[in-house]
Amino acid sequence: MSRRQQTTGNLALEQKKVIVIEAVQRPETQKLRVAAYCRVSSDSSDQMNSFAAQLNYYTTLISGKDNWTMTDIYADAGISGTSAQKRPDFQRLLSDCRRGRVDKILVKSISRFARNMADCLSIVRELRELGVTVIFEKENISTKDPNFDALTSLMAEFARSECAQKRPEFQRMIRK
């Protein structure tokens, strides 16, 4: 039989030295950087009224939250949602997200964000990878939802179909 040696623990435990690393900014004081994206597809008076209402609504909503700070309200007026590339303020929003300036984006509906399913899903996936959440208010869904891609595919397809019904030239492009 061998004789066991009694130990008191390793050297690291015996020293009981604690190193405190202070956070640059305490999480409880760090505000969520929130942006909103608004878009209307034409410059008709009723669309422009909707546009102004969206701008006012998001300014009030974001400013009213103590733990939110408004990054900006990005807005494209009189521009179709069928192509993300043709919307300058949408591109500016994506650029700011890539620079780490936005944590959350509020949008009235998926159709305001994109009417092209491929664009919508690829942009949302990129934003997710950047840690940016998108909230679509009308549909009451968030990009954090595990079923988001399936739900969005359906809704984006409905939005594309709606656009095709409203615009005959777009309908001809789809058929080709």
Side-chain angles (χ1 to χ4, degrees):
M1 287 176 92
S2 68
R3 190 172 150 201
R4 290 185 167 178
Q5 253 186 336
Q6 198 172 25
T7 61
T8 59
N10 67 30
L11 187 59
L13 292 175
E14 289 179 19
Q15 290 181 356
K16 298 179 185 175
K17 186 175 181 181
V18 177
I19 299 172
V20 177
I21 301 172
E22 290 294 324
V24 176
Q25 186 174 12
R26 297 212 180 273
E28 62 268 9
T29 61
Q30 188 174 10
K31 291 185 173 191
L32 202 59
R33 297 165 300 176
V34 181
Y37 178 70
C38 304
R39 182 187 65 76
V40 292
S41 56
S42 74
D43 54 4
S44 68
S45 63
D46 60 331
Q47 289 272 303
M48 293 315 287
N49 287 337
S50 170
F51 189 65
Q54 287 179 60
L55 295 174
N56 185 43
Y57 170 76
Y58 285 119
T59 301
T60 303
L61 177 67
I62 296 169
S63 300
K65 302 274 188 180
D66 290 337
N67 58 338
W68 287 5
T69 185
M70 186 184 311
T71 303
D72 203 347
I73 294 183
Y74 302 82
D76 289 309
I79 301 174
S80 170
T82 56
S83 171
Q85 297 302 320
K86 294 179 181 176
R87 295 182 278 152
D89 241 26
F90 189 74
Q91 290 302 315
R92 188 172 66 86
L93 168 63
L94 295 177
S95 178
D96 283 353
C97 290
R98 291 175 186 127
R99 289 186 181 122
R101 296 178 180 167
V102 178
D103 299 313
K104 181 180 282 198
I105 302 168
L106 305 177
V107 186
K108 180 180 175 183
S109 69
I110 290 174
S111 67
R112 299 297 91 204
F113 190 75
R115 287 200 182 261
N116 175 311
M117 182 177 54
D119 275 355
C120 183
L121 291 175
S122 68
I123 292 165
V124 163
R125 286 181 185 129
E126 178 187 357
L127 292 172
R128 251 196 239 134
E129 288 175 13
L130 295 170
V132 178
T133 302
V134 184
I135 306 293
F136 298 99
E137 295 192 305
K138 179 180 174 185
E139 294 86 1
N140 194 28
I141 58 173
S142 163
T143 55
K144 285 188 174 183
D145 185 320
N147 298 316
F148 179 81
D149 286 1
L151 290 168
T152 304
S153 293
L154 289 171
M155 291 181 196
E157 184 58 27
F158 288 133
R160 185 209 54 80
S161 176
E162 179 184 44
C163 185
Q165 289 174 356
K166 289 180 180 177
R167 298 182 59 205
E169 71 276 8
F170 185 69
Q171 202 169 31
R172 285 190 296 274
M173 287 181 354
I174 293 170
R175 289 184 189 146
K176 290 183 181 179

Short mmCIF file of all heavy atoms in Angstrom, two decimals, residues 37-42 47 76-88 90-91 107 109-121 123 155-157 159-164 166-167 169-170 173:
data_model
loop_
_atom_site.label_atom_id
_atom_site.label_comp_id
_atom_site.label_asym_id
_atom_site.label_seq_id
_atom_site.Cartn_x
_atom_site.Cartn_y
_atom_site.Cartn_z
N TYR A 37 -36.28 52.96 -40.44
CA TYR A 37 -36.24 53.10 -41.89
C TYR A 37 -37.66 53.31 -42.39
O TYR A 37 -38.57 52.55 -42.06
CB TYR A 37 -35.63 51.88 -42.58
CG TYR A 37 -35.64 52.04 -44.08
CD1 TYR A 37 -34.81 52.98 -44.69
CD2 TYR A 37 -36.53 51.33 -44.88
CE1 TYR A 37 -34.84 53.18 -46.07
CE2 TYR A 37 -36.57 51.53 -46.25
CZ TYR A 37 -35.73 52.46 -46.84
OH TYR A 37 -35.77 52.67 -48.19
N CYS A 38 -37.85 54.37 -43.16
CA CYS A 38 -39.16 54.72 -43.73
C CYS A 38 -39.01 54.81 -45.25
O CYS A 38 -37.99 55.26 -45.75
CB CYS A 38 -39.63 56.07 -43.21
SG CYS A 38 -39.70 56.20 -41.42
N ARG A 39 -40.07 54.38 -45.93
CA ARG A 39 -40.05 54.47 -47.39
C ARG A 39 -41.47 54.55 -47.92
O ARG A 39 -42.37 53.88 -47.41
CB ARG A 39 -39.37 53.25 -48.01
CG ARG A 39 -39.27 53.31 -49.53
CD ARG A 39 -38.76 52.01 -50.12
NE ARG A 39 -39.68 50.91 -49.91
CZ ARG A 39 -40.81 50.72 -50.58
NH1 ARG A 39 -41.17 51.56 -51.54
NH2 ARG A 39 -41.60 49.68 -50.34
N VAL A 40 -41.65 55.37 -48.92
CA VAL A 40 -42.89 55.37 -49.70
C VAL A 40 -42.47 55.29 -51.17
O VAL A 40 -41.42 55.79 -51.55
CB VAL A 40 -43.79 56.61 -49.45
CG1 VAL A 40 -44.37 56.57 -48.05
CG2 VAL A 40 -43.05 57.90 -49.69
N SER A 41 -43.31 54.63 -51.98
CA SER A 41 -42.91 54.35 -53.35
C SER A 41 -43.28 55.43 -54.36
O SER A 41 -42.81 55.41 -55.48
CB SER A 41 -43.49 53.01 -53.81
OG SER A 41 -44.89 53.02 -53.64
N SER A 42 -44.12 56.36 -53.96
CA SER A 42 -44.44 57.44 -54.90
C SER A 42 -44.46 58.77 -54.15
O SER A 42 -44.43 58.80 -52.92
CB SER A 42 -45.80 57.19 -55.57
OG SER A 42 -46.85 57.45 -54.66
N GLN A 47 -49.25 59.47 -50.13
CA GLN A 47 -48.01 58.77 -49.78
C GLN A 47 -47.09 59.68 -48.97
O GLN A 47 -46.46 59.23 -48.01
CB GLN A 47 -47.29 58.29 -51.04
CG GLN A 47 -47.99 57.15 -51.74
CD GLN A 47 -47.56 55.81 -51.19
OE1 GLN A 47 -46.38 55.48 -51.20
NE2 GLN A 47 -48.52 55.04 -50.73
N ASP A 76 -36.40 57.02 -47.59
CA ASP A 76 -36.40 57.15 -49.05
C ASP A 76 -37.82 57.43 -49.50
O ASP A 76 -38.73 56.65 -49.23
CB ASP A 76 -35.90 55.85 -49.71
CG ASP A 76 -34.41 55.62 -49.50
OD1 ASP A 76 -33.63 56.55 -49.79
OD2 ASP A 76 -34.03 54.52 -49.06
N ALA A 77 -38.02 58.56 -50.16
CA ALA A 77 -39.36 58.94 -50.63
C ALA A 77 -39.43 58.83 -52.14
O ALA A 77 -38.51 59.24 -52.85
CB ALA A 77 -39.68 60.37 -50.20
N GLY A 78 -40.54 58.27 -52.62
CA GLY A 78 -40.77 58.17 -54.05
C GLY A 78 -39.90 57.14 -54.73
O GLY A 78 -39.61 57.26 -55.92
N ILE A 79 -39.45 56.12 -53.98
CA ILE A 79 -38.56 55.10 -54.54
C ILE A 79 -39.16 53.72 -54.28
O ILE A 79 -39.55 53.40 -53.17
CB ILE A 79 -37.15 55.19 -53.92
CG1 ILE A 79 -36.53 56.57 -54.16
CG2 ILE A 79 -36.26 54.09 -54.46
CD1 ILE A 79 -35.21 56.79 -53.47
N SER A 80 -39.19 52.89 -55.30
CA SER A 80 -39.71 51.54 -55.18
C SER A 80 -38.80 50.70 -54.28
O SER A 80 -37.59 50.90 -54.23
CB SER A 80 -39.80 50.88 -56.56
OG SER A 80 -40.09 49.51 -56.44
N GLY A 81 -39.39 49.73 -53.61
CA GLY A 81 -38.64 48.84 -52.74
C GLY A 81 -38.15 47.59 -53.45
O GLY A 81 -37.62 46.68 -52.81
N THR A 82 -38.30 47.53 -54.78
CA THR A 82 -37.91 46.33 -55.51
C THR A 82 -36.40 46.15 -55.60
O THR A 82 -35.94 45.05 -55.82
CB THR A 82 -38.51 46.32 -56.93
OG1 THR A 82 -38.13 47.52 -57.60
CG2 THR A 82 -40.03 46.22 -56.87
N SER A 83 -35.63 47.20 -55.42
CA SER A 83 -34.17 47.09 -55.46
C SER A 83 -33.55 47.88 -54.32
O SER A 83 -33.74 49.10 -54.21
CB SER A 83 -33.63 47.63 -56.79
OG SER A 83 -32.22 47.71 -56.74
N ALA A 84 -32.79 47.20 -53.50
CA ALA A 84 -32.11 47.85 -52.37
C ALA A 84 -31.03 48.81 -52.87
O ALA A 84 -30.76 49.83 -52.24
CB ALA A 84 -31.50 46.81 -51.44
N GLN A 85 -30.43 48.48 -54.00
CA GLN A 85 -29.34 49.29 -54.54
C GLN A 85 -29.77 50.69 -54.97
O GLN A 85 -28.97 51.61 -54.98
CB GLN A 85 -28.68 48.58 -55.73
CG GLN A 85 -28.03 47.26 -55.36
CD GLN A 85 -26.97 47.41 -54.29
OE1 GLN A 85 -26.19 48.36 -54.30
NE2 GLN A 85 -26.95 46.48 -53.35
N LYS A 86 -31.05 50.86 -55.31
CA LYS A 86 -31.54 52.15 -55.82
C LYS A 86 -32.07 53.06 -54.74
O LYS A 86 -32.65 54.10 -55.04
CB LYS A 86 -32.62 51.90 -56.87
CG LYS A 86 -32.08 51.21 -58.11
CD LYS A 86 -33.16 50.95 -59.13
CE LYS A 86 -32.59 50.24 -60.34
NZ LYS A 86 -33.61 49.90 -61.30
N ARG A 87 -31.90 52.67 -53.47
CA ARG A 87 -32.41 53.48 -52.37
C ARG A 87 -31.23 54.05 -51.57
O ARG A 87 -30.62 53.33 -50.77
CB ARG A 87 -33.33 52.65 -51.48
CG ARG A 87 -34.58 52.22 -52.22
CD ARG A 87 -35.52 51.45 -51.35
NE ARG A 87 -35.09 50.06 -51.29
CZ ARG A 87 -35.33 49.25 -50.27
NH1 ARG A 87 -35.96 49.68 -49.20
NH2 ARG A 87 -34.94 48.00 -50.30
N PRO A 88 -30.89 55.32 -51.77
CA PRO A 88 -29.69 55.89 -51.14
C PRO A 88 -29.71 55.87 -49.61
O PRO A 88 -28.68 55.58 -48.98
CB PRO A 88 -29.62 57.33 -51.67
CG PRO A 88 -30.89 57.57 -52.40
CD PRO A 88 -31.56 56.28 -52.65
N PHE A 90 -31.37 53.85 -47.65
CA PHE A 90 -31.29 52.46 -47.22
C PHE A 90 -29.83 52.01 -47.25
O PHE A 90 -29.35 51.35 -46.33
CB PHE A 90 -32.15 51.57 -48.12
CG PHE A 90 -32.30 50.17 -47.62
CD1 PHE A 90 -33.12 49.87 -46.54
CD2 PHE A 90 -31.63 49.13 -48.25
CE1 PHE A 90 -33.26 48.57 -46.08
CE2 PHE A 90 -31.76 47.82 -47.80
CZ PHE A 90 -32.58 47.55 -46.71
N GLN A 91 -29.11 52.40 -48.30
CA GLN A 91 -27.69 52.07 -48.39
C GLN A 91 -26.89 52.76 -47.29
O GLN A 91 -25.96 52.17 -46.73
CB GLN A 91 -27.15 52.44 -49.78
CG GLN A 91 -27.67 51.56 -50.89
CD GLN A 91 -27.37 50.09 -50.67
OE1 GLN A 91 -26.25 49.71 -50.32
NE2 GLN A 91 -28.38 49.25 -50.86
N VAL A 107 -38.96 49.18 -38.54
CA VAL A 107 -39.54 49.39 -39.87
C VAL A 107 -41.04 49.14 -39.76
O VAL A 107 -41.46 48.23 -39.06
CB VAL A 107 -38.94 48.42 -40.92
CG1 VAL A 107 -39.44 48.73 -42.31
CG2 VAL A 107 -37.43 48.45 -40.89
N SER A 109 -43.14 47.92 -41.98
CA SER A 109 -43.51 46.58 -42.47
C SER A 109 -42.42 46.05 -43.38
O SER A 109 -41.56 46.79 -43.84
CB SER A 109 -44.84 46.64 -43.23
OG SER A 109 -44.68 47.34 -44.43
N ILE A 110 -42.50 44.77 -43.65
CA ILE A 110 -41.52 44.14 -44.54
C ILE A 110 -41.57 44.80 -45.92
O ILE A 110 -40.53 45.02 -46.53
CB ILE A 110 -41.78 42.63 -44.65
CG1 ILE A 110 -41.42 41.96 -43.33
CG2 ILE A 110 -40.98 42.01 -45.79
CD1 ILE A 110 -41.74 40.50 -43.24
N SER A 111 -42.75 45.17 -46.39
CA SER A 111 -42.86 45.79 -47.72
C SER A 111 -42.16 47.15 -47.78
O SER A 111 -41.76 47.59 -48.84
CB SER A 111 -44.32 45.92 -48.15
OG SER A 111 -45.00 46.84 -47.33
N ARG A 112 -42.01 47.82 -46.65
CA ARG A 112 -41.26 49.08 -46.62
C ARG A 112 -39.76 48.81 -46.67
O ARG A 112 -38.98 49.60 -47.18
CB ARG A 112 -41.56 49.90 -45.36
CG ARG A 112 -43.01 50.32 -45.16
CD ARG A 112 -43.53 51.25 -46.23
NE ARG A 112 -44.14 50.49 -47.32
CZ ARG A 112 -44.29 50.89 -48.57
NH1 ARG A 112 -43.90 52.07 -48.93
NH2 ARG A 112 -44.84 50.14 -49.49
N PHE A 113 -39.35 47.67 -46.12
CA PHE A 113 -37.93 47.29 -46.05
C PHE A 113 -37.45 46.76 -47.40
O PHE A 113 -36.40 47.16 -47.88
CB PHE A 113 -37.77 46.22 -44.96
CG PHE A 113 -36.36 45.88 -44.60
CD1 PHE A 113 -35.59 46.73 -43.84
CD2 PHE A 113 -35.81 44.67 -45.01
CE1 PHE A 113 -34.30 46.40 -43.48
CE2 PHE A 113 -34.52 44.33 -44.66
CZ PHE A 113 -33.76 45.19 -43.90
N ALA A 114 -38.23 45.85 -47.98
CA ALA A 114 -37.87 45.27 -49.28
C ALA A 114 -39.06 44.58 -49.90
O ALA A 114 -39.85 43.95 -49.21
CB ALA A 114 -36.74 44.26 -49.11
N ARG A 115 -39.17 44.69 -51.21
CA ARG A 115 -40.21 43.96 -51.94
C ARG A 115 -39.59 42.84 -52.75
O ARG A 115 -40.25 42.22 -53.55
CB ARG A 115 -40.99 44.91 -52.85
CG ARG A 115 -41.92 45.81 -52.07
CD ARG A 115 -42.98 46.34 -53.00
NE ARG A 115 -43.89 47.25 -52.34
CZ ARG A 115 -45.09 46.90 -51.88
NH1 ARG A 115 -45.50 45.67 -51.96
NH2 ARG A 115 -45.86 47.80 -51.32
N ASN A 116 -38.34 42.60 -52.54
CA ASN A 116 -37.62 41.54 -53.23
C ASN A 116 -37.15 40.55 -52.17
O ASN A 116 -36.35 40.90 -51.31
CB ASN A 116 -36.45 42.17 -53.99
CG ASN A 116 -35.57 41.16 -54.66
OD1 ASN A 116 -35.14 40.19 -54.06
ND2 ASN A 116 -35.26 41.42 -55.92
N MET A 117 -37.65 39.31 -52.22
CA MET A 117 -37.37 38.32 -51.19
C MET A 117 -35.87 38.05 -51.04
O MET A 117 -35.35 37.97 -49.95
CB MET A 117 -38.12 37.02 -51.48
CG MET A 117 -37.90 35.97 -50.42
SD MET A 117 -38.84 34.46 -50.70
CE MET A 117 -38.39 34.00 -52.34
N ALA A 118 -35.18 37.91 -52.15
CA ALA A 118 -33.74 37.62 -52.10
C ALA A 118 -32.99 38.75 -51.40
O ALA A 118 -32.14 38.50 -50.53
CB ALA A 118 -33.19 37.39 -53.50
N ASP A 119 -33.30 40.01 -51.77
CA ASP A 119 -32.68 41.16 -51.11
C ASP A 119 -32.99 41.16 -49.62
O ASP A 119 -32.10 41.32 -48.78
CB ASP A 119 -33.20 42.48 -51.69
CG ASP A 119 -32.46 42.95 -52.92
OD1 ASP A 119 -31.46 42.31 -53.30
OD2 ASP A 119 -32.90 43.95 -53.52
N CYS A 120 -34.25 40.99 -49.31
CA CYS A 120 -34.70 41.03 -47.91
C CYS A 120 -33.94 40.03 -47.06
O CYS A 120 -33.36 40.37 -46.03
CB CYS A 120 -36.20 40.78 -47.83
SG CYS A 120 -36.87 40.91 -46.16
N LEU A 121 -33.93 38.77 -47.48
CA LEU A 121 -33.28 37.73 -46.69
C LEU A 121 -31.77 37.90 -46.61
O LEU A 121 -31.18 37.72 -45.54
CB LEU A 121 -33.64 36.34 -47.22
CG LEU A 121 -35.10 35.93 -47.01
CD1 LEU A 121 -35.39 34.60 -47.68
CD2 LEU A 121 -35.45 35.88 -45.53
N ILE A 123 -30.05 40.70 -46.83
CA ILE A 123 -29.76 41.87 -46.00
C ILE A 123 -29.99 41.54 -44.53
O ILE A 123 -29.16 41.87 -43.67
CB ILE A 123 -30.59 43.09 -46.45
CG1 ILE A 123 -30.11 43.56 -47.82
CG2 ILE A 123 -30.50 44.22 -45.43
CD1 ILE A 123 -31.04 44.51 -48.53
N MET A 155 -43.95 36.53 -46.46
CA MET A 155 -44.39 37.93 -46.47
C MET A 155 -43.74 38.73 -47.59
O MET A 155 -44.38 39.57 -48.21
CB MET A 155 -44.14 38.56 -45.11
CG MET A 155 -45.04 38.00 -44.06
SD MET A 155 -44.73 38.79 -42.49
CE MET A 155 -45.53 37.64 -41.41
N ALA A 156 -42.46 38.45 -47.86
CA ALA A 156 -41.77 39.16 -48.94
C ALA A 156 -42.38 38.77 -50.29
O ALA A 156 -42.50 39.59 -51.19
CB ALA A 156 -40.28 38.87 -48.91
N GLU A 157 -42.77 37.51 -50.41
CA GLU A 157 -43.40 37.06 -51.65
C GLU A 157 -44.75 37.76 -51.84
O GLU A 157 -45.10 38.18 -52.94
CB GLU A 157 -43.56 35.54 -51.66
CG GLU A 157 -44.12 34.99 -52.95
CD GLU A 157 -43.31 35.33 -54.20
OE1 GLU A 157 -42.09 35.53 -54.11
OE2 GLU A 157 -43.91 35.41 -55.28
N ALA A 159 -45.48 40.71 -50.66
CA ALA A 159 -45.15 42.11 -50.98
C ALA A 159 -44.75 42.24 -52.45
O ALA A 159 -45.13 43.19 -53.13
CB ALA A 159 -44.03 42.60 -50.07
N ARG A 160 -43.96 41.28 -52.96
CA ARG A 160 -43.55 41.31 -54.36
C ARG A 160 -44.76 41.17 -55.27
O ARG A 160 -44.92 41.89 -56.24
CB ARG A 160 -42.55 40.19 -54.65
CG ARG A 160 -41.99 40.26 -56.08
CD ARG A 160 -41.61 38.91 -56.63
NE ARG A 160 -42.66 37.91 -56.57
CZ ARG A 160 -43.68 37.80 -57.43
NH1 ARG A 160 -43.82 38.65 -58.42
NH2 ARG A 160 -44.58 36.83 -57.31
N SER A 161 -45.65 40.27 -54.90
CA SER A 161 -46.86 40.06 -55.68
C SER A 161 -47.74 41.31 -55.70
O SER A 161 -48.28 41.69 -56.74
CB SER A 161 -47.63 38.87 -55.11
OG SER A 161 -48.83 38.69 -55.78
N GLU A 162 -47.85 41.94 -54.55
CA GLU A 162 -48.63 43.18 -54.45
C GLU A 162 -48.04 44.25 -55.36
O GLU A 162 -48.76 44.96 -56.05
CB GLU A 162 -48.67 43.65 -52.99
CG GLU A 162 -49.42 44.93 -52.79
CD GLU A 162 -49.35 45.42 -51.35
OE1 GLU A 162 -48.25 45.39 -50.76
OE2 GLU A 162 -50.39 45.85 -50.84
N CYS A 163 -46.73 44.35 -55.36
CA CYS A 163 -46.05 45.35 -56.20
C CYS A 163 -46.30 45.04 -57.67
O CYS A 163 -46.55 45.94 -58.46
CB CYS A 163 -44.55 45.35 -55.90
SG CYS A 163 -43.64 46.62 -56.77
N ALA A 164 -46.24 43.77 -58.04
CA ALA A 164 -46.47 43.37 -59.43
C ALA A 164 -47.89 43.72 -59.88
O ALA A 164 -48.10 44.11 -61.03
CB ALA A 164 -46.22 41.88 -59.61
N LYS A 166 -49.66 46.23 -58.75
CA LYS A 166 -49.78 47.69 -58.84
C LYS A 166 -49.03 48.26 -60.02
O LYS A 166 -49.40 49.29 -60.54
CB LYS A 166 -49.24 48.32 -57.55
CG LYS A 166 -50.12 48.11 -56.34
CD LYS A 166 -49.49 48.78 -55.13
CE LYS A 166 -50.33 48.60 -53.89
NZ LYS A 166 -49.69 49.18 -52.72
N ARG A 167 -47.96 47.59 -60.44
CA ARG A 167 -47.10 48.14 -61.48
C ARG A 167 -46.97 47.17 -62.64
O ARG A 167 -46.20 46.21 -62.56
CB ARG A 167 -45.72 48.46 -60.89
CG ARG A 167 -45.82 49.51 -59.77
CD ARG A 167 -44.49 49.88 -59.19
NE ARG A 167 -43.62 50.41 -60.22
CZ ARG A 167 -42.30 50.37 -60.13
NH1 ARG A 167 -41.72 49.84 -59.11
NH2 ARG A 167 -41.56 50.87 -61.09
N GLU A 169 -45.39 47.28 -65.45
CA GLU A 169 -44.04 47.10 -66.00
C GLU A 169 -43.23 46.12 -65.16
O GLU A 169 -42.42 45.35 -65.67
CB GLU A 169 -43.30 48.44 -66.16
CG GLU A 169 -42.87 49.11 -64.85
CD GLU A 169 -43.96 49.95 -64.18
OE1 GLU A 169 -45.13 49.92 -64.61
OE2 GLU A 169 -43.63 50.62 -63.20
N PHE A 170 -43.47 46.09 -63.84
CA PHE A 170 -42.79 45.14 -62.96
C PHE A 170 -43.31 43.73 -63.24
O PHE A 170 -42.55 42.77 -63.25
CB PHE A 170 -43.00 45.54 -61.50
CG PHE A 170 -42.24 44.69 -60.52
CD1 PHE A 170 -40.86 44.76 -60.46
CD2 PHE A 170 -42.90 43.81 -59.68
CE1 PHE A 170 -40.14 43.97 -59.57
CE2 PHE A 170 -42.19 43.03 -58.78
CZ PHE A 170 -40.82 43.11 -58.73
N MET A 173 -41.58 42.25 -66.16
CA MET A 173 -40.21 41.83 -65.84
C MET A 173 -40.21 40.46 -65.18
O MET A 173 -39.33 39.64 -65.43
CB MET A 173 -39.53 42.85 -64.91
CG MET A 173 -39.16 44.13 -65.57
SD MET A 173 -38.34 45.37 -64.54
CE MET A 173 -38.35 44.76 -62.91
#
